[in-house]
Amino acid sequence: MVNVDHAAAPVATKDPGGGLRRDVGLIGLMWASVGSIIGSGWLFGAQEAVVVAGPAAIISWVIGAVAIVLLALVHAELGGMFPVAGGTARYPHYAFGGLAGMSFGWFSWLQAATVAPIEVEAMVGYAKHWKWADGLQHADGTLSTSGFTAAVVLMAIFVAVNFFGVRALAHTNSAATWWKIAVPLAAIFIIAIGNFHPGNFTSEGFAPFGAKGVLGAISSSGIIFALLGFEQAIQLAGESRNPKRDLPRATLGSVAIGAVIYILLQVVFILALPHATFAHGWAKLDFPGISGPWAGLATMVGLGWLGFVLYVDAIISPGGTGLIYTTATSRVSFGLAKNGYAPKLFAKTDSRGVPWFGLIMSFVTGVICFLPFPSWQQLVGFITSASVLMYAGAPLAYGVFADRLPGHERPYRLPGGKIISPLSFVVANLIIYWAGWDTLWRLGFAILLGYVLLGSYAWYAIRKGLPDAPRLDFKAAQWLPAYLVGIGVISWQGGFGGQGHIGLWWDIAVVAAFSIGIYYWAKATASKPEQIQRDIEEVVVTDAPAH
Protein backbone atom coordinates (compact mmCIF):
# COMPACT_ATOMS: atom_id res chain seq x y z
CA MET A 1 0.00 0.00 0.00
CA VAL A 2 1.24 3.52 0.51
CA ASN A 3 4.91 3.62 1.55
CA VAL A 4 6.68 6.74 2.74
CA ASP A 5 10.13 6.83 1.21
CA HIS A 6 12.42 8.38 3.83
CA ALA A 7 15.51 8.64 1.63
CA ALA A 8 16.49 12.27 1.30
CA ALA A 9 13.05 13.23 2.53
CA PRO A 10 12.43 16.94 2.97
CA VAL A 11 10.50 18.19 5.93
CA ALA A 12 6.80 17.46 5.40
CA THR A 13 4.85 20.58 4.65
CA LYS A 14 1.24 21.51 5.01
CA ASP A 15 -0.82 24.39 3.78
CA PRO A 16 -1.56 26.61 6.79
CA GLY A 17 -5.05 27.10 5.42
CA GLY A 18 -5.78 23.40 5.76
CA GLY A 19 -4.08 21.69 2.82
CA LEU A 20 -2.69 18.23 2.23
CA ARG A 21 0.71 17.07 3.51
CA ARG A 22 3.39 16.22 0.91
CA ASP A 23 4.73 13.12 2.61
CA VAL A 24 4.71 10.44 -0.12
CA GLY A 25 7.70 9.38 -2.27
CA LEU A 26 8.01 7.31 -5.46
CA ILE A 27 7.70 3.93 -3.74
CA GLY A 28 4.71 5.19 -1.79
CA LEU A 29 2.94 6.34 -4.95
CA MET A 30 3.70 3.12 -6.81
CA TRP A 31 2.64 0.99 -3.87
CA ALA A 32 -0.62 2.94 -3.60
CA SER A 33 -1.42 1.88 -7.16
CA VAL A 34 -0.03 -1.68 -6.91
CA GLY A 35 -1.87 -2.19 -3.63
CA SER A 36 -5.09 -1.16 -5.37
CA ILE A 37 -4.49 -3.33 -8.44
CA ILE A 38 -3.73 -6.48 -6.40
CA GLY A 39 -6.99 -6.74 -4.49
CA SER A 40 -9.99 -9.03 -4.68
CA GLY A 41 -9.57 -9.22 -8.46
CA TRP A 42 -6.78 -11.79 -8.16
CA LEU A 43 -8.89 -13.95 -5.85
CA PHE A 44 -11.83 -14.22 -8.28
CA GLY A 45 -10.73 -12.90 -11.70
CA ALA A 46 -9.17 -16.04 -13.20
CA GLN A 47 -12.14 -18.26 -12.34
CA GLU A 48 -14.74 -15.73 -13.49
CA ALA A 49 -12.90 -15.11 -16.78
CA VAL A 50 -12.43 -18.76 -17.72
CA VAL A 51 -16.14 -19.46 -17.15
CA VAL A 52 -17.05 -16.69 -19.60
CA ALA A 53 -14.33 -17.16 -22.23
CA GLY A 54 -12.74 -20.58 -21.68
CA PRO A 55 -8.94 -20.82 -22.02
CA ALA A 56 -9.17 -17.87 -24.44
CA ALA A 57 -9.54 -15.78 -21.29
CA ILE A 58 -5.78 -15.34 -21.62
CA ILE A 59 -6.49 -13.26 -24.73
CA SER A 60 -9.04 -11.28 -22.72
CA TRP A 61 -6.40 -10.48 -20.10
CA VAL A 62 -3.90 -9.38 -22.77
CA ILE A 63 -6.49 -7.11 -24.42
CA GLY A 64 -7.46 -5.72 -21.03
CA ALA A 65 -3.83 -5.07 -20.11
CA VAL A 66 -3.17 -3.28 -23.41
CA ALA A 67 -6.29 -1.15 -22.86
CA ILE A 68 -5.22 -0.17 -19.35
CA VAL A 69 -1.66 0.57 -20.53
CA LEU A 70 -3.01 2.97 -23.17
CA LEU A 71 -5.08 4.80 -20.57
CA ALA A 72 -2.21 4.78 -18.08
CA LEU A 73 0.16 6.32 -20.63
CA VAL A 74 -2.19 9.26 -21.09
CA HIS A 75 -2.61 9.64 -17.33
CA ALA A 76 1.16 9.50 -16.84
CA GLU A 77 1.71 12.64 -18.92
CA LEU A 78 -1.26 14.45 -17.37
CA GLY A 79 -0.20 13.50 -13.84
CA GLY A 80 3.21 15.05 -14.38
CA MET A 81 1.69 18.20 -15.91
CA PHE A 82 -0.89 18.73 -13.15
CA PRO A 83 0.22 17.24 -9.80
CA VAL A 84 -2.95 18.08 -7.86
CA ALA A 85 -5.08 16.02 -5.48
CA GLY A 86 -7.91 14.10 -7.14
CA GLY A 87 -6.34 14.60 -10.56
CA THR A 88 -8.74 12.42 -12.56
CA ALA A 89 -11.59 14.65 -11.42
CA ARG A 90 -9.77 17.82 -12.51
CA TYR A 91 -8.37 17.31 -16.01
CA PRO A 92 -11.78 17.65 -17.71
CA HIS A 93 -12.43 20.75 -15.59
CA TYR A 94 -9.33 22.43 -17.01
CA ALA A 95 -10.15 21.42 -20.59
CA PHE A 96 -13.92 21.87 -20.77
CA GLY A 97 -15.01 23.99 -17.84
CA GLY A 98 -17.42 23.33 -15.02
CA LEU A 99 -20.10 21.13 -16.56
CA ALA A 100 -17.66 18.55 -17.90
CA GLY A 101 -15.51 18.84 -14.78
CA MET A 102 -18.49 18.25 -12.54
CA SER A 103 -19.58 15.26 -14.64
CA PHE A 104 -16.23 13.47 -14.74
CA GLY A 105 -15.66 14.40 -11.12
CA TRP A 106 -18.84 12.55 -10.24
CA PHE A 107 -17.78 9.54 -12.33
CA SER A 108 -14.47 9.54 -10.47
CA TRP A 109 -16.06 9.77 -7.05
CA LEU A 110 -18.67 7.12 -7.91
CA GLN A 111 -15.94 4.70 -8.94
CA ALA A 112 -13.75 5.31 -5.90
CA ALA A 113 -16.60 5.19 -3.40
CA THR A 114 -17.90 1.81 -4.58
CA VAL A 115 -14.61 -0.12 -4.59
CA ALA A 116 -14.16 -0.35 -0.81
CA PRO A 117 -17.60 -2.01 -0.39
CA ILE A 118 -16.81 -4.57 -3.09
CA GLU A 119 -13.56 -5.44 -1.33
CA VAL A 120 -15.49 -5.95 1.89
CA GLU A 121 -17.90 -8.22 -0.01
CA ALA A 122 -14.90 -10.27 -1.17
CA MET A 123 -13.60 -10.56 2.38
CA VAL A 124 -16.99 -11.75 3.62
CA GLY A 125 -17.37 -14.16 0.69
CA TYR A 126 -14.03 -15.92 1.30
CA ALA A 127 -14.64 -15.92 5.06
CA LYS A 128 -17.46 -18.43 4.52
CA HIS A 129 -14.74 -21.08 4.56
CA TRP A 130 -14.41 -20.61 8.31
CA LYS A 131 -17.18 -22.16 10.38
CA TRP A 132 -17.51 -19.11 12.61
CA ALA A 133 -18.31 -16.99 9.55
CA ASP A 134 -20.72 -19.41 7.92
CA GLY A 135 -23.75 -17.27 8.71
CA LEU A 136 -22.47 -13.99 7.26
CA GLN A 137 -24.22 -14.53 3.91
CA HIS A 138 -27.52 -16.00 2.81
CA ALA A 139 -27.64 -18.69 0.12
CA ASP A 140 -28.26 -16.07 -2.60
CA GLY A 141 -25.15 -14.13 -1.62
CA THR A 142 -26.90 -11.32 0.25
CA LEU A 143 -25.54 -10.29 3.62
CA SER A 144 -27.25 -11.57 6.71
CA THR A 145 -27.75 -9.31 9.72
CA SER A 146 -24.45 -10.48 11.18
CA GLY A 147 -22.79 -10.14 7.76
CA PHE A 148 -24.04 -6.59 7.36
CA THR A 149 -22.74 -5.76 10.83
CA ALA A 150 -19.33 -7.24 10.00
CA ALA A 151 -19.23 -5.29 6.72
CA VAL A 152 -20.02 -2.02 8.49
CA VAL A 153 -17.29 -2.68 11.06
CA LEU A 154 -14.75 -3.32 8.29
CA MET A 155 -15.70 -0.05 6.56
CA ALA A 156 -15.34 1.74 9.89
CA ILE A 157 -11.82 0.31 10.28
CA PHE A 158 -10.84 1.61 6.81
CA VAL A 159 -12.02 5.08 7.79
CA ALA A 160 -10.42 4.99 11.24
CA VAL A 161 -6.96 4.16 9.85
CA ASN A 162 -7.29 6.99 7.33
CA PHE A 163 -8.02 9.46 10.10
CA PHE A 164 -4.46 9.03 11.38
CA GLY A 165 -3.16 10.70 8.21
CA VAL A 166 -1.24 9.63 5.13
CA ARG A 167 1.97 8.89 7.06
CA ALA A 168 0.18 6.54 9.46
CA LEU A 169 -1.56 4.97 6.49
CA ALA A 170 1.85 4.35 4.94
CA HIS A 171 3.32 2.63 7.99
CA THR A 172 0.17 0.59 8.55
CA ASN A 173 0.09 -0.88 5.04
CA SER A 174 3.60 -1.11 3.59
CA ALA A 175 4.02 -4.70 4.80
CA ALA A 176 0.52 -5.54 3.53
CA THR A 177 1.49 -4.55 -0.01
CA TRP A 178 4.59 -6.74 0.01
CA TRP A 179 2.37 -9.57 1.24
CA LYS A 180 -0.18 -8.86 -1.51
CA ILE A 181 2.48 -9.22 -4.18
CA ALA A 182 4.25 -12.19 -2.62
CA VAL A 183 1.16 -14.40 -2.13
CA PRO A 184 -0.10 -14.38 -5.76
CA LEU A 185 3.45 -15.01 -7.01
CA ALA A 186 3.82 -17.89 -4.55
CA ALA A 187 0.49 -19.34 -5.67
CA ILE A 188 1.59 -19.13 -9.31
CA PHE A 189 4.85 -21.03 -8.86
CA ILE A 190 3.83 -23.51 -6.13
CA ILE A 191 0.59 -24.64 -7.81
CA ALA A 192 2.27 -24.84 -11.24
CA ILE A 193 4.82 -27.34 -9.90
CA GLY A 194 3.32 -30.79 -10.35
CA ASN A 195 -0.03 -29.51 -11.65
CA PHE A 196 0.74 -28.84 -15.28
CA HIS A 197 -1.87 -30.04 -17.79
CA PRO A 198 -1.27 -28.41 -21.21
CA GLY A 199 -4.21 -30.33 -22.67
CA ASN A 200 -6.58 -28.14 -20.67
CA PHE A 201 -6.17 -25.42 -23.27
CA THR A 202 -7.77 -27.50 -26.04
CA SER A 203 -9.67 -30.46 -24.54
CA GLU A 204 -12.98 -28.55 -24.34
CA GLY A 205 -12.08 -25.98 -26.99
CA PHE A 206 -9.72 -23.03 -26.64
CA ALA A 207 -12.44 -20.46 -27.29
CA PRO A 208 -15.71 -22.32 -26.71
CA PHE A 209 -17.74 -19.10 -26.54
CA GLY A 210 -16.11 -17.42 -29.50
CA ALA A 211 -15.05 -13.81 -29.87
CA LYS A 212 -18.10 -12.60 -27.95
CA GLY A 213 -16.97 -14.55 -24.90
CA VAL A 214 -13.43 -13.18 -25.17
CA LEU A 215 -14.65 -9.59 -25.45
CA GLY A 216 -17.41 -9.92 -22.86
CA ALA A 217 -14.99 -11.32 -20.29
CA ILE A 218 -12.93 -8.13 -20.42
CA SER A 219 -15.63 -6.10 -18.69
CA SER A 220 -18.08 -8.51 -17.10
CA SER A 221 -15.84 -11.11 -15.47
CA GLY A 222 -13.60 -8.76 -13.54
CA ILE A 223 -10.57 -8.43 -15.84
CA ILE A 224 -10.66 -4.65 -16.17
CA PHE A 225 -11.82 -4.38 -12.57
CA ALA A 226 -8.76 -6.36 -11.48
CA LEU A 227 -6.41 -4.13 -13.45
CA LEU A 228 -7.93 -0.90 -12.18
CA GLY A 229 -6.05 1.09 -9.57
CA PHE A 230 -3.14 2.76 -11.37
CA GLU A 231 -4.90 6.09 -10.85
CA GLN A 232 -4.32 5.96 -7.08
CA ALA A 233 -0.91 7.57 -7.58
CA ILE A 234 -2.66 10.32 -9.55
CA GLN A 235 -5.24 10.88 -6.81
CA LEU A 236 -2.46 11.28 -4.23
CA ALA A 237 -0.53 13.79 -6.34
CA GLY A 238 -1.30 16.56 -3.86
CA GLU A 239 0.60 14.56 -1.21
CA SER A 240 3.62 13.62 -3.34
CA ARG A 241 7.02 15.13 -2.52
CA ASN A 242 8.20 15.15 -6.15
CA PRO A 243 5.06 14.59 -8.24
CA LYS A 244 6.40 15.69 -11.61
CA ARG A 245 9.16 13.09 -11.49
CA ASP A 246 7.42 10.33 -9.57
CA LEU A 247 3.85 10.25 -10.91
CA PRO A 248 4.63 8.95 -14.42
CA ARG A 249 7.01 6.31 -13.04
CA ALA A 250 4.55 5.14 -10.40
CA THR A 251 1.64 4.99 -12.85
CA LEU A 252 3.38 2.96 -15.55
CA GLY A 253 5.33 0.79 -13.10
CA SER A 254 2.21 -0.29 -11.24
CA VAL A 255 0.41 -1.29 -14.46
CA ALA A 256 3.40 -3.37 -15.59
CA ILE A 257 3.56 -5.24 -12.26
CA GLY A 258 -0.19 -5.87 -12.15
CA ALA A 259 -0.52 -7.03 -15.76
CA VAL A 260 2.30 -9.58 -15.50
CA ILE A 261 0.91 -11.06 -12.27
CA TYR A 262 -2.66 -11.37 -13.56
CA ILE A 263 -1.76 -12.97 -16.88
CA LEU A 264 0.44 -15.54 -15.10
CA LEU A 265 -2.40 -16.25 -12.66
CA GLN A 266 -4.81 -17.00 -15.50
CA VAL A 267 -2.35 -19.32 -17.26
CA VAL A 268 -1.61 -21.32 -14.11
CA PHE A 269 -5.27 -21.52 -13.07
CA ILE A 270 -6.17 -23.14 -16.40
CA LEU A 271 -3.16 -25.48 -16.40
CA ALA A 272 -3.66 -26.71 -12.83
CA LEU A 273 -7.33 -27.70 -13.01
CA PRO A 274 -8.10 -31.43 -13.16
CA HIS A 275 -10.10 -32.20 -16.28
CA ALA A 276 -13.04 -33.48 -14.25
CA THR A 277 -13.70 -29.95 -12.95
CA PHE A 278 -14.70 -28.70 -16.44
CA ALA A 279 -15.62 -31.98 -18.19
CA HIS A 280 -19.14 -30.64 -18.82
CA GLY A 281 -17.82 -27.43 -20.33
CA TRP A 282 -16.07 -24.35 -18.98
CA ALA A 283 -19.38 -22.64 -18.24
CA LYS A 284 -20.07 -25.43 -15.73
CA LEU A 285 -16.68 -25.34 -14.02
CA ASP A 286 -17.07 -26.73 -10.52
CA PHE A 287 -14.95 -28.11 -7.71
CA PRO A 288 -15.03 -28.18 -3.89
CA GLY A 289 -14.34 -24.73 -2.51
CA ILE A 290 -15.00 -22.91 -5.80
CA SER A 291 -16.56 -20.03 -3.84
CA GLY A 292 -12.93 -19.22 -2.93
CA PRO A 293 -11.42 -20.30 -6.27
CA TRP A 294 -7.68 -20.19 -5.61
CA ALA A 295 -7.85 -21.52 -2.07
CA GLY A 296 -10.22 -24.26 -3.23
CA LEU A 297 -7.90 -25.19 -6.10
CA ALA A 298 -4.87 -25.33 -3.81
CA THR A 299 -6.69 -27.61 -1.37
CA MET A 300 -7.98 -29.85 -4.20
CA VAL A 301 -4.47 -30.49 -5.58
CA GLY A 302 -3.12 -31.43 -2.14
CA LEU A 303 -1.74 -28.08 -1.03
CA GLY A 304 -3.92 -27.57 2.00
CA TRP A 305 -1.36 -25.38 3.75
CA LEU A 306 -1.32 -23.02 0.76
CA GLY A 307 -5.10 -22.99 0.77
CA PHE A 308 -4.97 -21.79 4.38
CA VAL A 309 -2.55 -19.00 3.42
CA LEU A 310 -4.86 -17.96 0.59
CA TYR A 311 -7.86 -17.78 2.90
CA VAL A 312 -5.81 -15.48 5.13
CA ASP A 313 -4.82 -13.45 2.08
CA ALA A 314 -8.49 -13.09 1.23
CA ILE A 315 -8.67 -10.81 4.26
CA ILE A 316 -5.42 -8.91 3.70
CA SER A 317 -5.53 -8.26 -0.07
CA PRO A 318 -9.10 -6.92 -0.34
CA GLY A 319 -8.66 -5.14 3.00
CA GLY A 320 -5.62 -3.26 1.76
CA THR A 321 -7.33 -2.25 -1.48
CA GLY A 322 -10.44 -1.13 0.37
CA LEU A 323 -8.26 0.96 2.65
CA ILE A 324 -6.55 2.88 -0.17
CA TYR A 325 -9.81 3.42 -2.05
CA THR A 326 -11.30 4.90 1.10
CA THR A 327 -8.37 7.32 0.97
CA ALA A 328 -8.99 8.01 -2.72
CA THR A 329 -12.69 8.71 -2.19
CA SER A 330 -11.95 11.49 0.28
CA ARG A 331 -9.29 12.98 -2.05
CA VAL A 332 -11.64 13.01 -5.03
CA SER A 333 -14.34 14.76 -3.01
CA PHE A 334 -11.59 17.15 -1.84
CA GLY A 335 -10.89 17.94 -5.50
CA LEU A 336 -14.60 18.37 -6.26
CA ALA A 337 -14.93 20.88 -3.45
CA LYS A 338 -11.80 22.74 -4.56
CA ASN A 339 -13.36 23.17 -8.00
CA GLY A 340 -16.64 24.40 -6.52
CA TYR A 341 -18.76 21.36 -7.42
CA ALA A 342 -19.36 20.28 -3.83
CA PRO A 343 -19.65 22.15 -0.53
CA LYS A 344 -16.37 23.45 0.89
CA LEU A 345 -16.88 21.17 3.86
CA PHE A 346 -15.40 18.38 1.71
CA ALA A 347 -12.17 20.40 1.39
CA LYS A 348 -11.73 20.91 5.14
CA THR A 349 -8.76 19.08 6.60
CA ASP A 350 -7.90 18.32 10.20
CA SER A 351 -4.55 18.86 11.94
CA ARG A 352 -3.12 15.77 10.19
CA GLY A 353 -4.08 17.08 6.75
CA VAL A 354 -6.95 14.57 6.41
CA PRO A 355 -10.17 15.57 4.55
CA TRP A 356 -12.32 14.40 7.44
CA PHE A 357 -15.81 15.02 6.04
CA GLY A 358 -14.96 13.22 2.81
CA LEU A 359 -13.90 10.20 4.87
CA ILE A 360 -17.15 10.20 6.78
CA MET A 361 -19.14 10.34 3.55
CA SER A 362 -17.09 7.49 2.07
CA PHE A 363 -18.15 5.40 5.07
CA VAL A 364 -21.81 6.31 4.62
CA THR A 365 -21.67 5.51 0.90
CA GLY A 366 -20.01 2.17 1.57
CA VAL A 367 -22.72 1.16 4.02
CA ILE A 368 -25.41 2.06 1.47
CA CYS A 369 -23.68 -0.07 -1.17
CA PHE A 370 -24.09 -3.16 0.99
CA LEU A 371 -27.86 -2.91 0.61
CA PRO A 372 -28.70 -3.23 -3.13
CA PHE A 373 -25.69 -5.24 -4.33
CA PRO A 374 -25.55 -8.64 -2.66
CA SER A 375 -22.30 -10.06 -4.00
CA TRP A 376 -18.86 -9.39 -5.44
CA GLN A 377 -19.86 -10.40 -8.96
CA GLN A 378 -22.85 -8.07 -9.11
CA LEU A 379 -20.76 -5.00 -8.41
CA VAL A 380 -17.92 -5.76 -10.83
CA GLY A 381 -19.57 -4.68 -14.08
CA PHE A 382 -20.95 -1.51 -12.54
CA ILE A 383 -17.62 -0.42 -11.07
CA THR A 384 -15.74 -1.32 -14.25
CA SER A 385 -18.02 0.90 -16.33
CA ALA A 386 -17.90 3.79 -13.86
CA SER A 387 -14.10 3.50 -13.70
CA VAL A 388 -13.55 3.48 -17.43
CA LEU A 389 -16.03 6.31 -17.91
CA MET A 390 -13.91 8.26 -15.42
CA TYR A 391 -10.74 7.35 -17.33
CA ALA A 392 -12.31 8.43 -20.64
CA GLY A 393 -12.07 12.08 -19.58
CA ALA A 394 -8.26 11.97 -19.62
CA PRO A 395 -7.77 11.24 -23.36
CA LEU A 396 -10.25 13.99 -24.20
CA ALA A 397 -8.39 16.45 -21.97
CA TYR A 398 -5.04 15.28 -23.36
CA GLY A 399 -6.12 16.17 -26.89
CA VAL A 400 -7.11 19.65 -25.77
CA PHE A 401 -3.86 20.30 -23.88
CA ALA A 402 -1.76 19.06 -26.80
CA ASP A 403 -3.35 21.72 -29.00
CA ARG A 404 -3.94 24.57 -26.57
CA LEU A 405 -1.01 24.19 -24.14
CA PRO A 406 1.87 23.00 -26.33
CA GLY A 407 4.46 24.86 -24.25
CA HIS A 408 3.30 23.63 -20.83
CA GLU A 409 5.96 21.74 -18.88
CA ARG A 410 5.71 17.98 -19.36
CA PRO A 411 8.10 15.92 -17.18
CA TYR A 412 6.92 12.88 -19.14
CA ARG A 413 5.99 13.33 -22.80
CA LEU A 414 4.01 10.46 -24.32
CA PRO A 415 5.54 9.34 -27.65
CA GLY A 416 2.86 9.38 -30.35
CA GLY A 417 0.43 10.97 -27.93
CA LYS A 418 -1.77 12.47 -30.64
CA ILE A 419 -2.46 8.95 -31.93
CA ILE A 420 -2.56 7.11 -28.61
CA SER A 421 -4.94 9.65 -27.09
CA PRO A 422 -7.92 9.11 -29.47
CA LEU A 423 -7.11 5.39 -29.59
CA SER A 424 -7.31 5.14 -25.80
CA PHE A 425 -10.67 6.97 -25.90
CA VAL A 426 -11.98 4.40 -28.39
CA VAL A 427 -10.71 1.56 -26.19
CA ALA A 428 -12.33 3.06 -23.09
CA ASN A 429 -15.70 3.21 -24.82
CA LEU A 430 -15.39 -0.37 -26.07
CA ILE A 431 -14.80 -1.55 -22.51
CA ILE A 432 -17.87 0.37 -21.38
CA TYR A 433 -19.91 -1.15 -24.22
CA TRP A 434 -18.74 -4.70 -23.48
CA ALA A 435 -20.00 -4.38 -19.90
CA GLY A 436 -23.49 -4.84 -21.34
CA TRP A 437 -26.79 -2.97 -21.35
CA ASP A 438 -27.95 -4.46 -18.04
CA THR A 439 -25.02 -2.74 -16.33
CA LEU A 440 -25.10 0.49 -18.32
CA TRP A 441 -28.71 1.41 -17.65
CA ARG A 442 -27.96 1.18 -13.92
CA LEU A 443 -24.88 3.32 -14.42
CA GLY A 444 -27.03 5.82 -16.27
CA PHE A 445 -29.33 6.06 -13.28
CA ALA A 446 -26.34 6.72 -11.00
CA ILE A 447 -25.13 9.43 -13.38
CA LEU A 448 -28.52 11.15 -13.24
CA LEU A 449 -28.38 10.99 -9.44
CA GLY A 450 -25.02 12.76 -9.57
CA TYR A 451 -26.40 15.54 -11.73
CA VAL A 452 -29.22 16.03 -9.23
CA LEU A 453 -26.85 16.21 -6.23
CA LEU A 454 -23.97 18.20 -7.69
CA GLY A 455 -26.19 20.21 -10.02
CA SER A 456 -28.34 21.32 -7.11
CA TYR A 457 -25.31 22.60 -5.22
CA ALA A 458 -23.90 24.31 -8.33
CA TRP A 459 -27.25 26.03 -8.97
CA TYR A 460 -27.41 27.14 -5.32
CA ALA A 461 -23.82 28.46 -5.38
CA ILE A 462 -24.37 30.38 -8.61
CA ARG A 463 -27.73 31.78 -7.50
CA LYS A 464 -26.30 32.96 -4.17
CA GLY A 465 -23.20 34.37 -5.81
CA LEU A 466 -20.86 32.31 -3.63
CA PRO A 467 -17.16 32.96 -4.28
CA ASP A 468 -16.56 29.28 -5.05
CA ALA A 469 -19.51 28.99 -7.47
CA PRO A 470 -18.40 26.84 -10.43
CA ARG A 471 -18.13 28.15 -13.97
CA LEU A 472 -20.53 25.90 -15.88
CA ASP A 473 -19.30 26.28 -19.44
CA PHE A 474 -22.10 24.70 -21.48
CA LYS A 475 -20.53 25.67 -24.80
CA ALA A 476 -17.25 23.85 -24.11
CA ALA A 477 -19.16 20.76 -22.94
CA GLN A 478 -21.85 20.69 -25.63
CA TRP A 479 -20.61 17.27 -26.76
CA LEU A 480 -21.12 15.67 -23.33
CA PRO A 481 -24.89 14.92 -23.47
CA ALA A 482 -24.48 13.42 -26.94
CA TYR A 483 -21.62 11.27 -25.66
CA LEU A 484 -23.46 9.86 -22.63
CA VAL A 485 -26.74 9.28 -24.46
CA GLY A 486 -25.00 7.95 -27.56
CA ILE A 487 -22.96 5.27 -25.80
CA GLY A 488 -26.15 4.22 -23.98
CA VAL A 489 -28.14 3.92 -27.24
CA ILE A 490 -25.39 1.88 -28.89
CA SER A 491 -25.34 -0.47 -25.88
CA TRP A 492 -29.13 -0.77 -25.96
CA GLN A 493 -29.09 -1.72 -29.64
CA GLY A 494 -25.97 -3.88 -29.44
CA GLY A 495 -25.43 -7.56 -28.79
CA PHE A 496 -24.04 -7.41 -25.25
CA GLY A 497 -27.30 -7.62 -23.32
CA GLY A 498 -29.07 -5.22 -25.71
CA GLN A 499 -31.54 -5.69 -28.56
CA GLY A 500 -28.96 -7.33 -30.81
CA HIS A 501 -29.70 -5.07 -33.78
CA ILE A 502 -26.00 -4.28 -34.23
CA GLY A 503 -24.02 -7.43 -34.92
CA LEU A 504 -20.63 -8.43 -33.58
CA TRP A 505 -17.71 -6.58 -35.23
CA TRP A 506 -20.12 -4.03 -36.69
CA ASP A 507 -20.74 -2.86 -33.15
CA ILE A 508 -17.00 -2.34 -32.64
CA ALA A 509 -16.88 -0.24 -35.79
CA VAL A 510 -19.88 1.81 -34.63
CA VAL A 511 -18.34 2.45 -31.18
CA ALA A 512 -15.00 3.39 -32.76
CA ALA A 513 -16.55 5.81 -35.26
CA PHE A 514 -18.77 7.34 -32.58
CA SER A 515 -15.79 7.76 -30.24
CA ILE A 516 -13.62 9.47 -32.86
CA GLY A 517 -16.47 11.84 -33.67
CA ILE A 518 -16.93 12.77 -29.99
CA TYR A 519 -13.15 13.14 -29.52
CA TYR A 520 -12.72 15.74 -32.24
CA TRP A 521 -15.99 17.48 -31.42
CA ALA A 522 -14.77 17.90 -27.83
CA LYS A 523 -11.41 19.24 -29.01
CA ALA A 524 -13.09 21.77 -31.26
CA THR A 525 -15.35 23.23 -28.56
CA ALA A 526 -12.96 23.09 -25.57
CA SER A 527 -12.09 26.08 -23.40
CA LYS A 528 -9.76 28.74 -24.79
CA PRO A 529 -6.07 28.59 -23.77
CA GLU A 530 -6.31 31.66 -21.55
CA GLN A 531 -9.30 30.22 -19.67
CA ILE A 532 -7.54 26.88 -19.22
CA GLN A 533 -4.51 28.69 -17.82
CA ARG A 534 -6.67 30.67 -15.38
CA ASP A 535 -8.32 27.48 -14.10
CA ILE A 536 -4.95 25.76 -13.69
CA GLU A 537 -3.43 28.68 -11.81
CA GLU A 538 -6.44 28.93 -9.53
CA VAL A 539 -6.21 25.29 -8.47
CA VAL A 540 -2.41 25.28 -8.15
CA VAL A 541 -2.58 28.30 -5.82
CA THR A 542 -5.31 26.82 -3.61
CA ASP A 543 -3.58 23.42 -3.39
CA ALA A 544 0.01 24.56 -2.98
CA PRO A 545 1.65 23.72 0.35
CA ALA A 546 3.61 26.28 2.31
CA HIS A 547 7.36 26.25 1.68
Side-chain angles (χ1 to χ4, degrees), residues 42 178-188 306 309-310 313 317:
W42 98 262
W178 285 108
W179 167 279
K180 289 172 67 174
I181 294 174
V183 171
L185 289 175
I188 289 169
L306 180 60
V309 171
L310 295 178
D313 181 68
S317 286

Side-chain angles (χ1 to χ4, degrees), residues 27 41 60 85 213 248 266 283 302 315 360 403 429 462 470 475 481 492 512 526:
I27 299 302
S60 303
Q266 185 66 74
I315 303 298
I360 292 173
D403 286 350
N429 290 324
I462 293 171
K475 182 179 179 180
W492 174 45

Side-chain angles (χ1 to χ4, degrees), residues 55 195-203 206 267 270-273 278 282:
N195 298 283
F196 199 80
H197 310 296
N200 287 359
F201 281 107
T202 55
S203 61
F206 178 71
V267 170
I270 294 170
L271 286 172
L273 286 168
F278 58 93
W282 286 103

Side-chain angles (χ1 to χ4, degrees), residues 402-429:
D403 286 350
R404 286 166 167 73
L405 300 177
H408 197 284
E409 182 184 0
R410 288 168 167 80
Y412 168 75
R413 189 176 293 271
L414 173 60
K418 291 189 176 182
I419 297 174
I420 292 176
S421 177
L423 178 60
S424 65
F425 185 61
V426 171
V427 168
N429 290 324

Side-chain angles (χ1 to χ4, degrees), residues 396 422-423 425-430 433 482-483 486-487 490 502 505-522:
L396 294 174
L423 178 60
F425 185 61
V426 171
V427 168
N429 290 324
L430 285 171
Y433 169 72
Y483 169 54
I487 198 70
I490 295 172
I502 308 176
W505 306 118
W506 283 107
D507 53 358
I508 295 177
V510 169
V511 171
F514 171 76
S515 301
I516 293 298
I518 293 293
Y519 182 87
Y520 285 101
W521 182 7

